């Protein structure tokens, strides 16, 4: 059977969704992405490709700045698909990609191709249930919540990448405003109402998130200004974001954290989240 690597086209979305479904079911037991989310991922990438075996898509790749993505049907010829996808990633200048720690075939293929494991990211998840009671946030004196306005968006971006030094944590990349906005702010139907904590006229902390099609309420970014830390503000903003997602109907709550960020990991475990998956980041 001959495999073909080609550029992704708009008509590939249903087949890509089916590929993602096969991947999700094989590794996680149930589908976790719908067509809209697959289409969104394509739009956020600068280049996309698929591997076609003549009957169906068995692999896909995406490149965006310093990041890239790989999806290969675990029931297909993984090595053959990666033999086409990995050179495509490297030729495009992709600096890193994530692989599920259990996916030994993909990890081995990356290592044989000269890629190396640089760090890990933990995905923490927990079902919403009566047994898990999220406490009321305790806000530091002088801090208040306000609804987000369009004019706040650049201020939120500045807090994340300047005041909170988001990219100071290894594994966090700086996103220019337009890319960041497209991911976290552009579509309010999928991106939930941000949590904005103010001290007077100064934005002190934020939490951004959404609810995915599988019911997961996700906290995508949580940031606290450096001079506002160690006052319980990060915990309060996190709890507020999680409680809002639960109130909006999320069936489970989650977020991701760089494994080496032990302070953040401890906070997330302390509020009741549990490590569910490890994603291993490889670089060529």
């Amino acid at each position: 059977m001959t495999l073909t690597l080609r550029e992704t086209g708009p008509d590939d979305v249903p087949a890509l969704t089916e590929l993602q479904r096969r991947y999700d079911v094989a590794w996680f037991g149930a589908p976790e992405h719908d067509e809209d989310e697959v289409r969104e991922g394509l739009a956020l990438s600068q280049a996309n490709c698929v591997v076609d075996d003549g009957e169906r898509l068995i692999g896909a790749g995406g490149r965006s700045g310093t990041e890239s993505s790989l999806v290969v049907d675990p029931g297909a010829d993984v090595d053959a698909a990666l033999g086409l996808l990995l050179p495509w990633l490297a030729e495009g200048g992709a600096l890193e990609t994530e692989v599920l720690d259990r996916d030994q075939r993909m990890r081995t293929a990356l290592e044989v191709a000269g890629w190396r494991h640089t760090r890990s990211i933990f995905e923490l998840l927990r079902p919403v249930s009566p047994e898990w009671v999220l406490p009321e946030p305790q806000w530091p004196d002088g801090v208040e919540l306000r609804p987000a306005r369009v004019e706040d968006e650049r201020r939120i971006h500045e807090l994340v990448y300047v005041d909170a030094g988001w990219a100071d944590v290894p594994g966090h990349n700086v996103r220019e405003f337009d890319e960041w906005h497209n991911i976290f702010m552009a579509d309010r139907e999928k991106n939930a109402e941000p949590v904005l904590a103010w001290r007077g006229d100064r934005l002190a902390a934020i939490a951004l998130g959404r609810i995915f099609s599988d019911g997961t309420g996700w906290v995508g970014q949580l940031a606290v200004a450096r001079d506002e830390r160690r006052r319980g503000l990060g915990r309060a903003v996190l709890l507020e974001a999680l409680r809002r997602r639960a109130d909006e109907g999320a069936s489970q709550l989650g977020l991701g954290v760089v494994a080496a960020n032990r302070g953040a990991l401890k906070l997330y475990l302390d509020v009741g989240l549990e490590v569910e998956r490890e994603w291993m980041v490889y670089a060529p």
Side-chain angles (χ1 to χ4, degrees):
M1 185 175 295
T2 301
L3 301 185
T4 303
L5 183 142
R6 59 175 173 79
E7 183 179 348
T8 306
D11 293 340
D12 288 322
V13 171
L16 277 169
T17 305
E18 172 57 23
L19 167 63
Q20 186 69 60
R21 185 197 68 80
R22 296 196 303 272
Y23 179 91
D24 290 347
V25 170
W27 289 116
F28 311 128
E32 296 192 352
H33 300 77
D34 65 8
E35 261 193 35
D36 287 341
E37 289 164 355
V38 169
R39 192 175 288 107
E40 176 189 343
L42 293 174
L44 291 173
S45 296
Q46 296 170 353
N48 297 282
C49 73
V50 294
V51 175
D52 193 327
D53 70 0
E55 297 180 359
R56 62 181 185 175
L57 302 186
I58 66 165
R63 297 195 303 255
S64 179
T66 61
E67 302 171 350
S68 62
S69 61
L70 288 172
V71 178
V72 178
D73 182 349
D77 189 338
V78 174
D79 291 337
L82 291 175
L84 297 176
L85 288 167
L86 293 183
W88 180 85
L89 288 186
E91 290 166 8
L95 296 184
E96 58 185 33
T97 195
E98 295 178 10
V99 181
L100 190 66
D101 66 328
R102 292 173 280 157
D103 194 344
Q104 188 60 58
R105 283 191 293 178
M106 188 175 289
R107 289 174 52 197
T108 298
L110 283 163
E111 290 162 5
V112 168
W115 293 57
R116 68 193 187 283
H117 175 224
T118 60
R119 65 182 183 279
S120 287
I121 297 170
F122 292 145
E123 200 167 284
L124 290 84
L125 293 164
R126 183 164 175 179
V128 175
S129 70
E131 290 73 33
W132 183 28
V133 179
L134 289 164
E136 289 275 356
Q138 301 298 309
W139 300 100
D141 291 342
V143 171
E144 64 175 345
L145 300 184
R146 299 176 196 164
R149 306 167 300 173
V150 172
E151 54 265 38
D152 293 327
E153 291 177 351
R154 289 196 177 272
R155 184 66 194 89
I156 298 170
H157 181 264
E158 181 181 356
L159 169 70
V160 171
Y161 294 107
V162 179
D163 297 350
W166 177 269
D168 292 348
V169 177
H172 286 185
N173 298 315
V174 174
R175 298 186 189 274
E176 296 302 323
F177 179 80
D178 288 345
E179 180 188 11
W180 170 86
H181 185 270
N182 286 338
I183 295 172
F184 295 106
M185 304 295 292
D187 188 348
R188 287 299 180 87
E189 290 186 0
K190 65 175 174 56
N191 292 321
E193 183 66 21
V195 178
L196 304 187
W198 295 81
R199 184 179 296 280
D201 293 332
R202 182 171 184 262
L203 188 58
I206 62 94
L208 309 177
R210 63 184 294 181
I211 296 181
F212 288 102
S213 61
D214 69 340
T216 300
W218 193 256
V219 179
Q221 281 191 320
L222 188 151
V224 180
R226 294 182 183 89
D227 59 356
E228 292 284 354
R229 293 172 183 169
R230 297 181 177 84
R231 301 176 182 177
L233 182 54
R235 180 184 179 88
V237 170
L238 172 62
L239 287 171
E240 179 69 19
L242 294 174
R243 287 166 63 92
R244 289 187 185 185
R245 299 299 83 77
D247 290 344
E248 291 161 359
S251 58
Q252 65 176 348
L253 303 174
L255 47 70
V257 61
V258 177
N261 191 354
R262 293 297 172 177
L265 178 59
K266 182 178 185 301
L267 168 62
Y268 305 152
L269 294 172
D270 283 348
V271 302
L273 292 167
E274 300 170 345
V275 175
E276 176 72 18
R277 302 167 190 167
E278 178 182 353
W279 294 92
M280 300 178 71
V281 180
Y282 281 79

